[in-house]
Structure formats: C-alpha cells, structure tokens
Amino acid sequence: MAIKLITEWLSTDKRKTERVLMKSRSLFEHNHKIADNFSLSESIVVFPGDCLNLMHYIPDESLQLIVTSPPYNIGKEYERKLHLDMYLQQQAQIIRECTRTLSPKGSICWQVGNYVDRGAIIPLDTILYPIFSALGLKMRNRIVWHFEHGLHCSRRFSGRYETIIWFTKSDEYVFNLDPVRIPQKYPGKKYFKGPKAGQYSCNPLGKNPGDVWAIPNVKSNHVEKTEHPCQFPVELIERLVLSLTNEGDWVLDPFLGTGTTIIAAIRHGRRGVGAEIVPKYIELARTRIRQEIDGVLRTRPMDKPIYDPVEAGNSLAVTPWDKKHLQQMTLFEKSARFGKGR
C-alpha cells in the first residue's frame, strides 16, 4: 500500500509538471519577445541597466514575488566594494522600492551569504533584517540553503550554507505547499492509537520540505555552469516560484545575473522581469531565457537526488591513505554513510 501511495504521488506530480509546462509554453508561444523595458502587457523583460531605473517603470503593488541574490560587497567583478554603511544604504534604497512594487499578498526573498572584513565574517541577513522590518515587512522563514562545494578555509570552518530571508507584506499572502512537497521519509507509517489507528498518518502528496534545503550549488561540473562566478541553481528559485506565486504572476529579480529567476518563472507559467548592468551577463541571460523558451536549456531537475560518490561506487571516494596512521579516518569508519552503522 505504501509503495502504491508513492507511485500515485510520483505519477500525479509528473502529470502536474506536464500540465504546468504545457501552460507555460502556451503563455509564451505567441510572444517570444524578450522586452528591454517593463510593461504589464509584456511577459519577459530583461532590463539593461540599474534596477532602480527599472523599478521606476513598475506600478505600485504589481509584483507577486521579488527574489534575488544581491552583491555581497566582497569585490566581485560585477560590484564595487563599499564601506559597509554605504552598502546597507544602497540595499535599503532598493528594498524600499521593491516594497513599493510588491503586491499586498506578495513575498520578498533575499538570498545572501557573508560579508568578510579582514578575516571576520558578518552574516548579511542579520544586518539586512532591520531594513525589511522597518518597512513593515514580516519574516516568515529564514531558509538555510546547504551545499557541499566551495572555498576551503584553513583558519575557520569552510562555509557550506547561505540563507534566504523570506518576508511578506501582509498576513494574507500566497503560499502553495503542495507543489513543493518532497517524498515522505516513512510513507508507510500509521497511527498506532486513537480513532485513526491503522490508517496512514502522512500526507500522500509528500511532506513539507522544511527550512533547511540541500540543493547543489553551481560549480564547475554543474550542468548549469556559466562564466558567472556566483550563479544560483534554477531549482532553488523554482521552489520559491511554485510556493509563493500563482500562474500569470509577475516575478522580479533586481540583480538578474544569468537570468535564472526569469527562467524559473516562465518555466512554470509566470511572468519574469529582471535588471542587469553587466553587458556580457545581459546577453548570457537572454541566451539562456531563449533556450528555456525553445525547450533546450539544460538544468538540474528539482526531484533529482543529490549525487553520492560512495553509493555510486566512484573510485575517487576510496581513500588512498593507510587508515592505521590516520586517526581522523575513524570518524569516517563510524559513519553509516561510509559502510559501518552505529
């Protein structure tokens, strides 16, 4: 019975995905235009310029979701490193405009990491929170995005997560849980007492994904990798688009980068708009969006399990060192993942 429930859930989810893709294609099949300037009559807008200039053209309360990963003020090629106070002033100005354009039922998701100052880290979400709060926005979740690849630190633990701080404009906001449910850990679990004793206790559609999301980041061997140094995966934004918007809604990314947010939006029948100041990324975003419209863009599927080199039998997962001389290896030997349970 449990296997039947899982099979039904997977087949239902597949049919749902196919319906969404068909509706998405129908929304754009007669309008393949990628506009430069915002208009409510458009479906896809890639604005070549500063996001504040773009938002000047966006009417009040017209956007359902604003999701972005702003510059972290660490001196990447697409940003000018500022004094932290100036950086926060700049962010406050943008967030204020985002709030103006946000629907009363809309959401803002700010995906950030750490600002690094002479070796000391400052979590950007902690210092950005007062800006959102002062504008009357309410935090609904602080989502931890966990990944396994990145810089290897020698004087502190290597950073393997960033955060998404999710705010809403009111208490009446869009939240669709069913499209983003994940498989139950124990689908065969039943109530053991009470009036429902013997019945399955979990939701057959899956469980709430929680606020810790393990999604691979886009590094060198990722199928979505481009020349952009800080590109986030499409599946990360898909989860936000599906849960916080409805079909036909507008989704904005003030720092568009390679177009990931618009790709996630139009894939699921939403409208997408974003601003980007770097010419090569503007062209790259346009190219990737066009590939998505044509159905040829390669991305990592939302439901794909995270690759485990041990389970896959990858020879690189076998240690070449003599375990007898490496006390640290006992930590791995005791791990169920490495073949020895507790």
Side-chain angles (χ1 to χ4, degrees), residues 8 11 27 79 99 102 108 116 118 123 125-126 129-130 134 155 178 219 248 250 256 270 276 284 316 321 330 342:
E8 290 177 351
S11 61
L27 178 62
E79 64 175 339
T99 303
L102 189 66
I108 296 181
V116 183
R118 292 170 291 182
D125 58 352
T126 63
Y129 174 85
R155 302 198 64 188
D178 284 350
K219 291 300 179 182
W250 274 104
L256 185 60
R270 280 68 167 170
E276 178 54 51
L284 184 55
L316 295 177
W321 302 293
T330 59
R342 289 175 288 188

Side-chain angles (χ1 to χ4, degrees), residues 175-206:
F175 182 60
N176 304 311
L177 180 57
D178 284 350
V180 297
R181 289 181 182 273
I182 60 177
Q184 298 281 358
K185 188 174 183 179
Y186 300 109
K189 188 176 180 181
K190 299 179 179 181
Y191 292 102
F192 69 93
K193 62 180 180 179
K196 294 185 178 181
Q199 298 180 30
Y200 290 102
S201 60
C202 65
N203 190 319
L205 294 177

Side-chain angles (χ1 to χ4, degrees), residues 132-172:
F132 291 97
S133 181
L135 292 168
L137 299 172
K138 297 183 178 181
M139 181 183 276
R140 301 300 171 181
N141 272 120
R142 179 179 183 268
I143 300 165
V144 174
W145 169 31
H146 166 64
F147 44 81
E148 295 187 350
H149 300 283
L151 294 175
H152 298 285
C153 299
S154 59
R155 302 198 64 188
R156 65 172 183 265
F157 296 113
S158 299
R160 292 296 179 266
Y161 81 94
E162 293 187 352
T163 62
I164 303 169
I165 45 177
W166 166 33
F167 296 86
T168 65
K169 202 170 188 177
S170 71
D171 292 330
E172 298 296 324

Side-chain angles (χ1 to χ4, degrees), residues 259-319:
T260 297
T261 296
I262 292 180
I263 290 165
I266 66 175
R267 175 170 294 183
H268 297 285
R270 280 68 167 170
R271 302 172 190 272
V273 53
E276 178 54 51
I277 60 173
V278 180
K280 65 178 179 179
Y281 296 146
I282 295 170
E283 291 308 309
L284 184 55
R286 288 176 174 275
T287 298
R288 296 182 73 227
I289 293 166
R290 177 63 61 190
Q291 290 174 339
E292 173 64 23
I293 294 171
D294 294 340
V296 297
L297 181 69
R298 296 181 64 210
T299 60
R300 187 180 187 280
M302 283 183 67
D303 57 353
K304 184 176 180 178
I306 295 175
Y307 177 74
D308 187 323
V310 175
E311 291 184 359
N314 190 318
S315 61
L316 295 177
V318 179
T319 176

